[in-house]
Amino acid sequence: MSTASRDSSTMEVVLLEETGRTEEPAAPPETTGRKLCFGIAGVLVASAVAYVLWFYIAPHDPQPPPGRSRPVPSNSSTGSFCNDGDGWEEVFKDEFEDDGFHVDPASWTKVLSNGTAYKSRVQNSCGTSRNVFQKDGKLVLQSTRLEEDLPGCPYQFSTGAVHTLNKKSWKGVTRVCVKAKLPGTLVPGKTQGIRSAIWLIPADDSCNPSHGEMDVMEHINGSPKFQHAYHWGPPNTCHEDRIAYAEPDTGHNFFEEFLEYGVEYTPTRITFAVNGLVTYSIDTDTEAYHKGSDGWNRARFFSDVPYYLVLNTGVGGSWAGPVANETEFPVQFLFDYVKVTQETKPPQSR
């Protein structure tokens, strides 16, 4: 936030004709200097008092609605939120170095779907193996408009997605960072029906989202903004969704640039970051944007639960809506790296 500065100089206008006053003899140089010093000091004190009154009394920007926070601009850094050292240890890293129609089988599983299985990840499309590959040091998740029928697929589109379930998951105080370039373009209509996402999902048997879901990044339809979001629900329930989210303005074109999308989860807080700078934070006082009647409207956290990572592009579906005739295919969700660090020694305060 900024305030307009005021001119600290003062000007005395003597209206002799209107007041009938006579002009006094000029003061000696020493007296004039002393008056000038006192005048400047007075102006400075008055300005300081005015600023304090403005800061503590005058109304500021309106508070965001419950479940959202005013994001912190993050366009001044290209650092990583998941640096090794300073109390953090790198526990996982993949830089996708080997070209080919494969991913590291010790870490990743391709999502193969006929449009029914893994519906939330592929939406109204089918997940195929050939839509997931590594090229030029990048992981590529490709989405296409099918030119001919794909056996067993009821849709006109195919897509790519991967996850780490049963292979890699992390619990405790953890940071997960994904450097990626989003699929699509800012040109209106050209990315209609495309939803890209980076999720962390509980790797236990809980019914989502009763143990929380972290949407590190979600984006639809070529919008100039993306979302960070956190979902939770009452214990032992399914689909009683509570959500807190933000749409940070990073100052970057995420269709043209690789940005690092990061998250840190602890027992009392979830913090999102872009390029190493915090953009959104949720704590136990954060209220859900959409409330329920069961009383579970303040955020709950589950850092003792292991979370696995999902990278995916969905086509169509209820949120993004149907694909338009002008939607351009193929589109590619590109990943430069995935890094995970965990806390080795607690800071003085968190």
Side-chain angles (χ1 to χ4, degrees):
M1 301 176 64
S2 63
T3 59
S5 61
R6 296 189 177 188
D7 188 350
S8 62
S9 65
T10 60
M11 179 183 296
E12 181 179 3
V13 179
V14 182
L15 304 178
L16 297 177
E17 294 81 5
E18 294 184 7
T19 63
R21 291 170 52 196
T22 57
E23 203 167 2
E24 295 182 359
E30 292 183 3
T31 304
T32 302
R34 190 178 301 113
K35 287 183 177 181
L36 181 60
C37 290
F38 281 127
I40 293 174
V43 170
L44 293 175
V45 170
S47 299
V49 171
Y51 178 81
V52 170
L53 291 175
W54 170 84
F55 187 85
Y56 287 102
I57 298 177
H60 294 281
D61 289 345
Q63 291 298 311
R68 303 183 68 181
S69 75
R70 188 178 299 107
V72 180
S74 62
N75 59 355
S76 60
S77 174
T78 56
S80 175
F81 196 53
C82 292
N83 283 330
D84 197 11
D86 194 25
W88 295 88
E89 179 184 7
E90 186 177 281
V91 296
F92 175 75
K93 186 175 184 178
D94 196 339
E95 295 182 305
F96 311 112
E97 294 178 344
D98 298 325
D99 288 4
F101 285 94
H102 61 263
V103 289
D104 179 6
S107 302
W108 303 98
T109 298
K110 295 184 180 184
V111 173
L112 306 180
S113 171
N114 61 0
T116 301
Y118 299 105
K119 182 71 172 179
S120 65
R121 300 173 191 184
V122 300
Q123 296 296 306
N124 295 342
S125 68
C126 294
T128 74
S129 178
R130 293 191 66 82
N131 280 334
V132 178
F133 54 93
Q134 295 182 179
K135 182 179 180 180
D136 298 329
K138 305 293 186 289
L139 171 65
V140 182
L141 304 182
Q142 182 165 275
S143 303
T144 63
R145 191 192 302 266
L146 296 174
E147 298 297 331
E148 55 187 31
D149 290 343
L150 182 67
C153 180
Y155 298 109
Q156 295 178 302
F157 311 99
S158 65
T159 193
V162 295
H163 64 74
T164 66
L165 180 62
N166 298 323
K167 296 181 177 180
K168 301 290 182 181
S169 61
W170 307 275
K171 67 179 180 178
V173 179
T174 302
R175 290 182 174 182
V176 177
C177 295
V178 179
K179 189 172 184 180
K181 184 164 70 170
L182 305 193
T185 175
L186 287 170
V187 179
K190 299 296 185 181
T191 313
Q192 169 60 39
I194 304 300
R195 188 228 57 209
S196 52
I198 302 168
W199 296 335
L200 284 167
I201 308 292
D204 59 9
D205 295 326
S206 62
C207 190
N208 200 35
S210 63
H211 279 175
E213 172 189 315
M214 288 168 271
D215 299 340
V216 186
M217 189 288 306
E218 282 192 310
H219 177 269
I220 60 169
N221 298 344
S223 168
K225 292 186 178 181
F226 63 89
Q227 284 190 4
H228 300 305
Y230 178 60
H231 301 254
W232 71 95
N236 304 314
T237 60
C238 298
H239 313 302
E240 293 292 331
D241 196 7
R242 307 290 184 273
I243 180 173
Y245 71 96
E247 296 178 335
D249 182 1
T250 67
H252 292 274
N253 183 340
F254 39 70
F255 298 118
E256 300 295 335
E257 302 175 60
F258 281 89
L259 304 182
E260 184 195 79
Y261 304 92
V263 65
E264 174 187 307
Y265 48 98
T266 79
T268 59
R269 182 181 298 271
I270 289 176
T271 302
F272 296 96
V274 175
N275 283 358
L277 293 181
V278 172
T279 46
Y280 184 43
S281 186
I282 302 167
D283 59 27
T284 52
D285 290 326
T286 302
E287 293 188 350
Y289 189 55
H290 297 294
K291 294 181 172 60
S293 59
D294 48 33
W296 293 94
N297 293 315
R298 291 189 183 274
R300 305 168 63 233
F301 304 106
F302 309 91
S303 65
D304 58 336
V305 171
Y307 287 85
Y308 71 96
L309 183 62
V310 180
L311 311 176
N312 67 98
T313 305
V315 181
S318 59
W319 187 25
V323 170
N325 290 334
E326 59 267 31
T327 301
E328 293 182 341
F329 287 97
V331 292
Q332 294 184 340
F333 198 178
L334 302 180
F335 300 86
D336 187 38
Y337 63 70
V338 173
K339 295 194 295 185
V340 181
T341 56
Q342 293 190 310
E343 190 178 56
T344 56
K345 58 179 181 179
Q348 294 298 317
S349 64
R350 178 171 292 282

